[in-house]
Amino acid sequence: MKTFYIVFTSIVLNFNNVFTSVLDLTNAEWTVSNKNESIKISGSVPGGVYTDLHKASVIGDILSGFNDVLTRWVAHDTWTYTGKFNVNESQLNSLVAHMVFEGLDTVAYIELNDHPIGTTNNMFVRYVFDVKQQLKLGENQLTVVFESPIKVANSRSEKYFTAPACVPDQYNGECHANQLRKMQASFAWDWGPAFPSVGFWKPVTIEFYNNIIMRSVTTHIEKDDAFWYIKITAHIESSRNKKDIKSYMSASLKLEGNQKYIIGKDLDINTNDDGTSKADLSMTISQNIVKLWWPNGYGDQALYDLDVYLSTINDGEISHKHLQIGFRTIELVEEDATKYLGNTTAGQGLTFYFKVNGYPLFMKGSNWIPAHILPELGSDRKRIDDLLTAAKDVHTSMIRVWGGGVYESDYFYRRCDQLGILVWQDFQFACAMYPIDTEFLNSVKTEVEQTVVRLQHHPSIALWAGNNENEAALRGNWYTRPQEFQRYKEEYIKLYVETIQPIVKSLDPGRRYLVSSPSNGLESEREGYIANNPYDAHYGDTHYYNYMADNWNLNIYPLTRFASEYGVQSLPSISTLKTATQDPKDLSFDSVFIRHRQHLPNGFTYMKQQIGKRLKLDENDTKYFEKFVFYSQISQAMSVKAETEFYRQNQATWHTMGVMYWQLNDVWQAPSWSSIEYGGKWKMLHYYAKSFLAPVLVSPRLLLSGDVDVYLLNDRFVPIVNGEITVDIFNFSSLIPIRSQTYVVQAEPLRSTKQNISINLWNEPNKEEIFVKFSLKADGITSSPFNFVFPKSLKDAVGLKEPRIQISVSKRTEGRPDNGLQYNVDIRVDTIVLFLWLETNTNDGHFENNGFIVTQPHIRVKYTSKTNLTPTELEKLITYQYYIN
Ligand SMILES: *[C@@H]1O[C@H](CO)[C@@H](O)[C@H](O)[C@H]1NC(C)=O
Ligand SMILES: *[C@@H]1O[C@H](CO)[C@@H](O)[C@H](O)[C@H]1NC(C)=O
Ligand SMILES: *[C@@H]1O[C@H](CO)[C@@H](O)[C@H](O)[C@H]1NC(C)=O
Ligand SMILES: *[C@@H]1O[C@H](CO)[C@@H](O)[C@H](O)[C@H]1NC(C)=O
Ligand SMILES: *[C@@H]1O[C@H](CO)[C@@H](O)[C@H](O)[C@H]1NC(C)=O
Ligand SMILES: *[C@@H]1O[C@H](CO)[C@@H](O)[C@H](O)[C@H]1NC(C)=O
C-alpha cells in the first residue's frame, strides 16, 4: 500500500462517479395505529406517537395540566407505524440495499412487504438490516410495531430484576426503566413527567450501493513540540464478507490561509463477517498552520474542514464524509495534590482538573438534561441553539450531558465545538443498578461503539463517564438492599469496567474514561471501583445537595476538587406556568395542579424553609403565590451563587477546579433546579450565573467570626496588577455609602487569590441596617460584576423603603448591527432597591442583566428583542418586582 499526494480533483473527474444513493423514508406515506385499530392517524418520521396523536387532535398539549397522567394509556398500547414508499429499477439493481434505522424508540418488530426483517430493543443503537431480498419494484410497505415500553420493562424485570423497582410515587412515573435501553427520564424524574414514548426518534433511510460505504470517520489527534499527528479512520460497511475491493481513500484538510492538505492511498478492502472494515490515513502538520481550539472564555474556537472520500476503483462509487475538527490537547490531571498544596490536609489525595493546551483551566457551567421530554423534539435546532447560546452567554466552558437522557444529536456537539463548550459526556445509565444478561450487554456494546465512533472527532468532548451516581448509589445503599452489595458490585464492574471501558479505550485512547460520575477518579479504581466514600473531598468530583441548611451561607458547603452537580429548586415564572394551565385557580399553593408538578418529595417545604431563612414573605399577602415564585428565584439565585463562589474561591486553598450547577434547562413548566425555564425564559439564577461565573470577580466570604475574606478570581492568562477593590458600606435607606475604602490588589493568572483585605463586621453597630458592596477596577478589565455581603438576613433588614422607580426606553444606536434589535432601558430610583426584577412577559427578548441590587440613582441595562418594537411599546411591556420586607 502506498501513500502519495494527489491533486484531489483528478479523482473526482477521472471516473463517472456516483455517490452512494440514499432513499430517505421521511417522506414516505406514514400511518400509525393502535393495537385494536380504534385509532388510525397519519404518522411522522422522525417523530413519535405523542407528537402524532397531538397533531391528529387525539390528545391535547402533552405538557398542559395533568396530561402527563391523562395520556398514559398511550404508553400501554401497541403502536404500529406503516410506511409506503416506491423503489425504482436502478435502486433495485444495486448490489446492496440496507435499511438504516438511526433511532427506534425502543422495542420494535419490523416487517418489509410482510417479511420479517428484524427486531430492536435499544433506542441508542443504529440498526442496519439487509433488505435486498425483500424489496420490490414499485410500492413497498414497511411496518414497525412498537411494544409498550412499560409492559416490556415490567416483563423483563420478572427475569432480570435489579434495583430499584420504581421511582417515588411523587413522580407519577413508571417502573423498571433500567430494564430498557431507553431515555431513563422518559419514565419520570424529579424534574420531569413520564412520557414513555415510542416511535422513530431519528430518520430511517435505505442505502443503495454496490460495494462499500463509509459510515463514520474518527480522528485521533496527537501533538509533540512541532507537529500535530492526525490519524483519520474510515469506518466502512458493506453487505457481509466482501473480499478484495480495490478502493481509493483520500482526505482533504483545509488549513489557515486557504491552504489544503490532501492525502490519499490505494486500498484493498476485505470486510469482516459482519460486513465492517476500517481504513486509515495519517497526516502530519506543522503547528504553525493551525490555530488552537479553546474552551469559551479562554480563547477562540478554530475549526477546520475535513473531507474524507472513499471511492471504489471499478465503478467509481464514492462515499463522502465532512467533519470539522479542532486542535487542542486535553487531559484530566489526577496527581499527588501535595505538589500544589503542600504537606497539608488539603494536599492529601489527588488533584482532579482539566489541562487544556497545557494550561490548568477552571471549568464553569451546568448540567444538561434532554432539551425535550419527547426525544424526537430534543434535537430541534432552535431549541438547542437557544440553550447553548444562553450557556455561552453566562461564561460556560463545560456542560455535563447527564446520564439519564440521550446521547445528543450531531448538531448539538457541532454547536458545542463552535461555541467552545466542553462536554462531560455520561453514558446513559443513571441512578439505578443495571441488568447484565447477555442480550443487554451485547446491546450496550453496540451502543457504546456507535456512540464513541459518532462523537469522537468533536473537540468539545472532554471525557466519557460510565454512569450518573451509580457508584454513590451502591455505596450509599440508596435502594436499601445492603445484603445484595456484593452481587451489585460484581454486576457494576461487569458493565462499566469490563464491558464499556475497553471499547472506549480502544476507540478513543486519547480521552479519560471515568467509571462513574461522581467518583474519586483513580482512587475509586484503586479501591475496587466502589470507593469507601465516593464523596471524598480529596479526590475526584462530587455532587452536593442540602435543602435544610442556610444555602446563602458560604460556610456550609463541602470541600471538593470538582463540583459536578449542586443546586436548589425554584418555581418558574407565572408567565411560563400559564402556558400549562388556563385556570387562574391553579396558580396557588393549594392547587392540585401545583402539587402535581412538584416531584421532589417535600420539595415545597424545603423551598419555603429556604426562603424563610433569608426573606420575609407574608402568607396572607394577596399576591402570595406570585411573590413566592419571585422569592423562590431570588433564593435559588443567591444559593447557587454562594455555593459556586465558595468553590471558585477554593481554587486557592483546595485546588477546586470546576463548577457545574444542576441544571441548565427544563422539560416542563414545574418547580425544578433549572436556570432556564421551559420555553426559554431565564430565571434569576441564569442572570446571576453571568456574574458568579464571570472571568474576573471580586468574591467575598463572610465568616462566622464576622470577618470577611476577599478573593479575587481571575480566569485569564494575565495577572491583575495594581487593581483597585472598593468596599462601600451602605445603609439600606440611602444611595450614599456610609463609608468607602479602596485597596490596591494583585492577582495571579488562572488563579483565585485571597487578598490582604481586613474587614470585620462583628463590631459593626446595627448590622441589620447595612450591607457591603465590592467593586473592582483594573487595567484591561472593562467590567467586572459588583458583589455584596448582607451581614444579617434580609428578612430582618431595617431601613428599606418603597422606592420610586422610573423606567424609560430608547433605541440603542451603538454596538454591532448584527446584535438584533437593541434597546437601552434606563432605570432611575430614589433609594436602595434589592433584587429589582424586570420582565416583559414575552420570550421574544431578554435583558442583559437582571435581579439588580441597585445602589446608584441611575442604571442602564440593554434589552435585545427579536421583534421590532417602538421604545414606547417596550416601555409598556416592562413590569418589575423587587424585595422589601
Ligand atoms: C381499543 O383500544 C383503546 C385504547 O387502548 C381503548 O380505549 C378502546 O376501548 C379499545 N376498543 C375496543 C373496541 O376494544
Ligand atoms: C430512481 O430514483 C432515484 C432517487 O430518486 C433517482 O436518482 C434515479 O434517477 C431513479 N432511477 C430511475 C431509473 O428512475
Ligand atoms: C508531612 O507532615 C507530617 C505531619 O506534620 C510529617 O510527619 C511528615 O513527615 C510530613 N511529610 C513530608 C514529606 O514532609
Ligand atoms: C394570616 O392569617 C391567618 C388567618 O387570619 C392568621 O391566623 C395568621 O396569623 C396570619 N399570618 C400572618 C403572618 O399574619
Ligand atoms: C441608617 O440610616 C438611618 C436613617 O437615616 C439611620 O437612622 C441609621 O442610624 C443608619 N444606620 C447606620 C448603621 O448608619
Ligand atoms: C499580602 O501581603 C503579603 C505580605 O505583605 C504579601 O507577600 C502578599 O503578596 C500580599 N498578597 C496579595 C494578594 O497582595
Side-chain angles (χ1 to χ4, degrees):
M1 251 182 266
K2 60 184 192 298
T3 302
F4 53 92
Y5 295 87
I6 54 149
V7 177
F8 182 70
T9 44
S10 68
I11 186 84
V12 176
L13 300 176
N14 274 352
F15 302 98
N16 186 15
N17 298 113
V18 265
F19 280 86
T20 311
S21 121
V22 175
L23 177 62
D24 187 348
L25 300 187
T26 299
N27 299 320
E29 196 187 308
W30 291 100
T31 57
V32 52
S33 56
N34 63 342
K35 188 159 193 177
N36 66 20
E37 300 203 322
S38 62
I39 298 169
K40 198 163 189 172
I41 56 176
S42 69
S44 49
V45 172
V49 71
Y50 287 100
T51 303
D52 291 333
L53 288 168
H54 179 47
K55 269 191 205 151
S57 302
V58 177
I59 60 174
D61 170 7
I62 60 162
L63 298 183
S64 182
F66 300 88
N67 281 348
D68 59 319
V69 287
L70 296 178
T71 60
R72 195 64 53 79
W73 58 270
V74 172
H76 286 269
D77 212 330
T78 300
W79 296 94
T80 302
Y81 277 77
T82 307
K84 293 196 171 121
F85 58 93
N86 285 302
V87 169
N88 67 25
E89 209 160 335
S90 57
Q91 289 167 328
L92 209 56
N93 285 342
S94 54
L95 299 178
V96 181
H98 276 176
M99 190 172 278
V100 182
F101 295 92
E102 297 289 347
L104 288 180
D105 177 15
T106 290
V107 180
Y109 166 75
I110 307 163
E111 279 186 352
L112 180 59
N113 299 325
D114 297 326
H115 301 289
I117 62 167
T119 60
T120 71
N121 59 15
N122 186 333
M123 79 180 275
F124 307 123
V125 162
R126 175 183 55 250
Y127 288 87
V128 179
F129 299 111
D130 187 344
V131 292
K132 179 77 187 136
Q133 300 310 315
Q134 293 82 11
L135 276 182
K136 58 185 192 192
L137 190 62
E139 192 177 81
N140 285 259
Q141 178 169 307
L142 175 65
T143 307
V144 180
V145 183
F146 292 95
E147 285 188 62
S148 156
I150 296 171
K151 290 180 184 165
V152 181
N154 275 310
S155 70
R156 263 191 59 91
S157 80
E158 284 163 21
K159 235 168 143 180
Y160 304 112
F161 175 83
T162 186
C166 301
V167 290
D169 290 345
Q170 227 108 358
Y171 294 17
N172 299 308
E174 297 295 342
C175 303
H176 308 298
N178 55 355
Q179 293 296 333
L180 292 184
R181 293 312 298 142
K182 175 173 174 61
M183 176 169 127
Q184 299 291 282
S186 77
F187 277 32
W189 217 264
D190 52 8
W191 40 259
F195 281 102
S197 52
V198 299
F200 295 67
W201 74 292
K202 291 184 176 188
V204 53
T205 58
I206 306 178
E207 293 171 340
F208 297 104
Y209 56 95
N210 292 322
N211 299 290
I212 47 176
I213 58 152
M214 233 183 335
R215 172 68 58 204
S216 311
V217 170
T218 49
T219 57
H220 183 66
I221 304 180
E222 278 181 46
K223 176 177 177 283
D224 68 11
D225 292 342
F227 296 100
W228 290 100
Y229 302 92
I230 313 166
K231 187 171 133 193
I232 299 163
T233 305
H235 297 259
I236 296 164
E237 286 179 21
S238 180
S239 48
R240 276 156 222 291
N241 239 327
K242 292 248 180 174
K243 292 296 162 225
D244 216 19
I245 305 168
K246 301 247 177 298
S247 332
Y248 187 79
M249 179 180 172
S250 63
S252 159
L253 179 63
K254 212 161 137 192
L255 302 162
E256 288 300 314
N258 267 329
Q259 302 176 77
K260 263 189 187 175
Y261 188 110
I262 296 165
I263 189 172
K265 72 178 175 189
D266 288 321
L267 297 167
D268 270 338
I269 293 171
N270 298 301
T271 60
N272 303 320
D273 288 346
D274 63 356
T276 63
S277 183
K278 285 184 197 175
D280 297 331
L281 282 176
S282 294
M283 291 182 175
T284 301
I285 60 170
S286 160
Q287 274 172 37
N288 56 24
I289 56 172
V290 290
K291 292 183 184 154
L292 292 173
W293 184 96
W294 288 98
N296 178 37
Y298 294 106
D300 293 335
Q301 290 76 46
L303 292 168
Y304 296 93
D305 289 301
L306 174 67
D307 287 286
V308 183
Y309 295 85
L310 185 67
S311 57
T312 48
I313 302 296
N314 62 347
D315 59 0
E317 202 172 50
I318 290 192
S319 174
H320 168 226
K321 292 282 166 200
H322 170 258
L323 323 173
Q324 285 200 308
I325 60 172
F327 294 88
R328 95 282 178 275
T329 59
I330 188 162
E331 61 182 306
L332 179 64
V333 182
E334 291 170 273
E335 59 185 8
D336 189 347
T338 52
K339 194 174 146 186
Y340 303 82
L341 300 161
N343 188 5
T344 58
T345 308
Q348 287 163 23
L350 300 174
T351 61
F352 189 92
Y353 72 90
F354 290 92
K355 208 181 232 184
V356 184
N357 297 326
Y359 291 89
L361 300 185
F362 195 99
M363 292 301 160
K364 297 177 288 191
S366 53
N367 281 264
W368 172 275
I369 62 167
H372 200 281
I373 196 64
L374 300 179
E376 71 270 18
L377 301 182
S379 59
D380 178 76
R381 291 186 173 202
K382 185 180 174 304
R383 211 185 305 267
I384 289 172
D385 273 341
D386 287 351
L387 288 170
L388 290 178
T389 312
K392 182 191 167 85
D393 285 349
V394 301
H395 312 290
T396 294
S397 50
M398 181 179 275
I399 55 171
R400 171 166 173 260
V401 174
W402 164 77
V406 299
Y407 307 102
E408 294 291 334
S409 61
D410 293 337
Y411 183 74
F412 173 92
Y413 298 96
R414 219 153 58 222
R415 289 300 284 149
C416 288
D417 293 345
Q418 291 162 354
L419 297 169
I421 298 177
L422 284 166
V423 177
W424 170 307
Q425 179 68 51
D426 282 0
F427 285 99
Q428 297 302 310
F429 302 88
C431 296
M433 303 295 111
Y434 282 86
I436 55 151
D437 54 286
T438 311
E439 186 191 29
F440 192 89
L441 286 185
N442 284 340
S443 179
V444 167
K445 274 185 201 161
T446 311
E447 166 189 332
V448 171
E449 271 162 21
Q450 291 186 357
T451 301
V452 174
V453 167
R454 176 170 73 92
L455 302 181
Q456 184 275 350
H457 71 273
H458 290 283
S460 55
I461 297 201
L463 63 64
W464 305 100
N467 63 69
N468 169 73
E469 295 183 352
N470 296 351
E471 179 185 345
L474 184 47
R475 175 52 72 200
N477 285 320
W478 291 5
Y479 314 118
T480 59
R481 293 175 161 263
Q483 72 282 11
E484 305 256 42
F485 179 83
Q486 201 50 37
R487 174 197 144 196
Y488 285 148
K489 179 177 169 180
E490 281 161 23
E491 293 178 351
Y492 178 96
I493 291 173
K494 179 99 197 151
L495 178 58
Y496 305 110
V497 182
E498 290 168 9
T499 304
I500 298 178
Q501 177 165 270
I503 301 172
V504 180
K505 288 203 164 163
S506 86
L507 288 169
D508 194 14
R511 281 192 186 88
R512 177 84 164 95
Y513 169 78
L514 282 175
V515 180
S516 186
S517 159
S519 78
N520 292 344
L522 284 177
E523 178 62 18
S524 282
E525 295 179 24
R526 280 179 202 146
E527 292 179 27
Y529 302 102
I530 305 296
N532 268 325
N533 170 18
Y535 290 107
D536 192 326
H538 299 89
Y539 300 97
D541 61 326
T542 53
H543 294 181
Y544 182 74
Y545 297 93
N546 184 344
Y547 309 128
M548 309 299 285
D550 170 12
N551 281 280
W552 293 33
N553 176 0
L554 277 70
N555 302 297
I556 67 145
Y557 294 108
L559 297 161
T560 180
R561 303 286 193 218
F562 199 104
S564 51
E565 267 194 31
Y566 56 94
V568 293
Q569 281 198 330
S570 68
L571 274 156
S573 64
I574 299 285
S575 62
T576 293
L577 284 170
K578 279 183 176 165
T579 63
T581 176
Q582 273 75 53
D583 186 349
K585 284 202 285 296
D586 283 344
L587 300 180
S588 102
F589 262 118
D590 308 324
S591 80
V592 186
F593 168 81
I594 285 293
R595 276 182 277 129
H596 176 76
R597 299 232 157 192
Q598 174 58 284
H599 284 190
L600 174 67
N602 299 319
F604 283 132
T605 308
Y606 296 138
M607 223 189 274
K608 275 187 193 169
Q609 286 171 352
Q610 281 301 316
I611 292 173
K613 285 180 204 291
R614 290 286 176 164
L615 304 169
K616 192 163 147 198
L617 181 53
D618 179 0
E619 279 180 73
N620 298 332
D621 194 302
T622 48
K623 291 193 165 167
Y624 177 66
F625 186 72
E626 202 176 306
K627 283 195 176 167
F628 190 94
V629 167
F630 174 52
Y631 285 27
S632 78
Q633 292 205 8
I634 297 175
S635 180
Q636 181 197 31
M638 290 298 286
S639 301
V640 178
K641 172 186 189 302
E643 189 161 1
T644 306
E645 290 190 26
F646 174 77
Y647 295 139
R648 290 190 69 185
Q649 293 168 0
N650 286 355
Q651 184 182 10
T653 48
W654 202 263
H655 212 261
T656 302
M657 284 299 281
V659 288
M660 291 190 281
Y661 65 81
W662 184 268
Q663 73 210 59
L664 178 68
N665 52 321
D666 255 345
V667 293
W668 72 335
Q669 312 90 331
S672 91
W673 295 256
S674 77
S675 64
I676 300 180
E677 299 174 2
Y678 179 77
K681 186 167 175 172
W682 291 16
K683 287 181 178 172
M684 195 179 293
L685 172 58
H686 204 74
Y687 287 102
Y688 271 44
K690 202 174 196 175
S691 295
F692 64 65
L693 298 180
V696 176
L697 181 68
V698 194
S699 179
R701 185 192 298 184
L702 173 62
L703 306 177
L704 298 174
S705 60
D707 286 313
V708 180
D709 286 348
V710 180
Y711 292 79
L712 188 46
L713 311 175
N714 181 22
D715 289 339
R716 306 178 314 153
F717 295 102
V718 290
I720 294 169
V721 181
N722 297 330
E724 253 183 38
I725 289 179
T726 301
V727 181
D728 297 308
I729 313 262
F730 277 93
N731 186 317
F732 281 118
S733 66
S734 170
L735 290 167
I736 299 158
I738 302 170
R739 57 176 197 274
S740 302
Q741 188 161 357
T742 295
Y743 303 84
V744 175
V745 296
Q746 324 290 338
E748 291 175 53
L750 299 176
R751 289 293 286 274
S752 145
T753 311
K754 191 171 155 193
Q755 299 299 324
N756 292 332
I757 296 177
S758 167
I759 303 170
N760 189 294
L761 298 175
W762 189 256
N763 295 318
E764 205 64 50
N766 306 338
K767 284 193 275 292
E768 62 287 346
E769 294 177 348
I770 59 159
F771 66 103
V772 191
K773 177 182 177 182
F774 298 82
S775 42
L776 173 78
K777 260 198 275 178
D779 283 346
I781 296 163
T782 45
S783 73
S784 170
F786 301 132
N787 219 325
F788 298 92
V789 160
F790 301 107
K792 283 280 187 158
S793 165
L794 291 177
K795 68 182 174 191
D796 303 321
V798 172
L800 281 171
K801 291 185 290 203
E802 285 292 352
R804 259 192 53 204
I805 298 175
Q806 281 179 301
I807 293 178
S808 59
V809 177
S810 54
K811 267 243 156 93
R812 225 172 100 84
T813 47
E814 64 271 41
R816 290 176 293 143
D818 61 342
N819 272 358
L821 299 156
Q822 291 209 336
Y823 304 82
N824 286 327
V825 179
D826 287 293
I827 301 159
R828 289 184 172 79
V829 301
D830 63 346
T831 184
I832 298 286
V833 188
L834 299 185
F835 305 107
L836 178 64
W837 178 244
L838 307 175
E839 285 179 278
T840 58
N841 289 345
T842 143
N843 277 341
D844 250 14
H846 64 271
F847 294 94
E848 183 188 28
N849 285 304
N850 214 338
F852 308 93
I853 308 294
V854 189
T855 57
Q856 290 153 299
H858 170 222
I859 59 171
R860 169 173 279 190
V861 56
K862 270 186 247 164
Y863 181 83
T864 307
S865 175
K866 284 176 199 155
T867 45
N868 197 353
L869 301 165
T870 65
T872 320
E873 281 168 337
L874 179 57
E875 216 169 278
K876 281 189 187 141
L877 281 180
I878 296 175
T879 59
Y880 59 81
Q881 297 180 77
Y882 51 85
Y883 173 76
I884 192 156
N885 57 348

